[in-house]
Amino acid sequence: IESTFPGAVEVNFKTSRGTEKCVVAMLPYPSEYRFEEVSKEDNYAGKVKDWARIVCKGFKKDATNILLTHLMLVGSQVVQNGQDVTLRVGDLNAVSKSDLPQADYFAMGHIHTYQLRKGNYCYSGSPMFFNFDQSIGNSPQTAGVVLLETKSKGGIKSVEFKQLNTPAKMVEIESTSIDDAREKLKNFESRDIVNLTFVQDKPLSMALIKELKLEFPCLTKVLLKMVGLKGDDKNYITNRKNLDPGNLFIEFYKQKKLIEPSKELVGLFKNLLEEQNSET
């Protein structure tokens, strides 16, 4: 490390071509909360622009200048509600390239998929899977890092994505029966992250879900996709007048969640109901 500046650091490297310089300016996630402490008059993009200029003041003409920051860039792709969306000017907390100072390379964070924009604006992605929305355009999830090749007098010569073998898989699977689910789950290690969806015409039991999660530690979520319903897709509670509050709660829960409530949850409901009755 050769020297430091407000929000930046200069690093010198000894290479076969001599000493090469790199200045890295760092702008952590510029949240609205932090900006409220500076000014309430400027808009979000204007505040990002002001802060970025401060940390980039240490850039040098004979160095490779990199802005390392964590924000949403206009033109980048994100997944919102299961759909691929391209960020546009005016979207919440989206910043345009024109709002950022000049740099040889922009190391972007906040979006966890590899994306290279206009040659030097790059989201490297995460070295490990972060969530099930990492894939863009239904492409396979890929974790990795970005390798930069610099020029001897400053600047970027090439940008290359290097895929990594992650220690854990992150997969969503569907099954039509408990036997089918067990057979598929055998292919995963305990460190993997698996969401399982049952496709069937009957509700799930809480006991079954607990049993599967104990048997397969990789299982993080169990969902249900109902098929083969006759008539409309609503389940109605019949004989309400003949059901006590506890059983009525059970039927209501099954109607909404499509699984049976646990004994603990039913017990909690009954305790709350008794407390309410005693107060009235």
Side-chain angles (χ1 to χ4, degrees):
I1 297 178
E2 178 67 19
S3 57
T4 60
F5 315 95
V9 60
E10 178 187 343
V11 182
N12 288 357
F13 299 91
K14 298 290 185 181
T15 71
S16 58
R17 299 178 296 194
T19 300
E20 298 184 24
K21 301 177 182 180
C22 180
V23 177
V24 181
M26 294 160 282
L27 178 60
Y29 177 54
S31 67
E32 290 183 313
Y33 171 76
R34 289 173 179 163
F35 282 152
E36 287 297 324
E37 298 179 348
V38 178
S39 171
K40 295 183 179 180
E41 298 176 358
D42 300 327
N43 59 27
Y44 181 83
K47 294 174 183 177
V48 169
K49 189 174 184 178
D50 292 340
W51 281 31
R53 283 177 177 174
I54 293 173
V55 300
C56 291
K57 283 183 177 180
F59 281 170
K60 296 186 175 182
K61 292 182 179 180
D62 60 344
T64 299
N65 299 305
I66 296 175
L67 175 58
L68 174 65
T69 186
H70 189 104
L71 47 78
M72 307 283 275
L73 188 67
V74 170
S76 301
Q77 287 187 293
V78 296
V79 177
Q80 295 179 355
N81 300 321
Q83 300 293 323
D84 297 338
V85 177
T86 300
L87 295 177
R88 300 179 180 180
V89 175
D91 287 345
L92 182 63
N93 291 357
V95 177
S96 299
K97 296 173 183 176
S98 59
D99 296 321
L100 300 176
Q102 291 294 318
D104 295 311
Y105 182 78
F106 297 83
M108 312 295 290
H110 197 62
I111 299 176
H112 297 92
T113 28
Y114 170 67
Q115 297 180 53
L116 181 60
R117 301 290 166 189
K118 296 295 182 180
N120 62 345
Y121 293 82
C122 186
Y123 288 95
S124 63
S126 54
M128 291 183 62
F129 294 137
F130 180 73
N131 57 38
F132 287 99
D133 287 340
Q134 272 189 255
S135 58
I136 297 292
N138 297 320
S139 61
Q141 295 184 11
T142 304
V145 295
V146 170
L147 179 64
L148 300 178
E149 184 179 358
T150 62
K151 300 177 182 178
S152 59
K153 298 300 181 180
I156 301 296
K157 185 176 182 180
S158 65
V159 179
E160 184 180 1
F161 179 76
K162 292 286 188 179
Q163 184 174 346
L164 298 178
N165 293 322
T166 59
K169 300 176 183 177
M170 199 169 189
V171 184
E172 293 179 300
I173 61 175
E174 290 188 353
S175 294
T176 56
S177 67
I178 182 64
D179 292 335
D180 178 54
R182 282 195 168 97
E183 195 64 31
K184 291 179 177 178
L185 290 170
K186 288 179 182 178
N187 298 320
F188 300 98
E189 303 290 337
S190 59
R191 63 176 178 267
D192 295 330
I193 302 172
V194 181
N195 281 358
L196 170 64
T197 299
F198 278 101
V199 182
Q200 59 186 42
D201 58 358
K202 58 183 179 180
L204 295 171
S205 69
M206 188 64 69
L208 173 62
I209 294 176
K210 287 184 176 180
E211 180 182 338
L212 278 176
K213 287 188 174 182
L214 286 174
E215 186 176 354
F216 300 99
C218 63
L219 194 57
T220 58
K221 185 182 293 184
V222 179
L223 305 171
L224 174 64
K225 183 189 296 183
M226 291 289 285
V227 295
L229 294 177
K230 297 180 180 180
D232 58 33
D233 58 356
K234 297 180 180 179
N235 298 320
Y236 295 95
I237 301 174
T238 58
N239 300 320
R240 291 190 180 191
K241 294 182 180 180
N242 298 325
L243 295 176
D244 61 54
N247 286 322
L248 187 61
F249 170 75
I250 293 173
E251 293 301 320
F252 175 79
Y253 190 93
K254 288 166 61 177
Q255 180 192 48
K256 294 296 182 182
K257 300 290 187 179
L258 301 179
I259 60 173
E260 297 178 0
S262 64
K263 293 181 180 179
E264 293 83 359
L265 185 60
V266 175
L268 178 60
F269 171 79
K270 290 181 178 180
N271 290 338
L272 291 173
L273 187 63
E274 289 177 0
E275 291 181 6
Q276 180 66 26
N277 292 335
S278 62
E279 291 178 359
T280 56

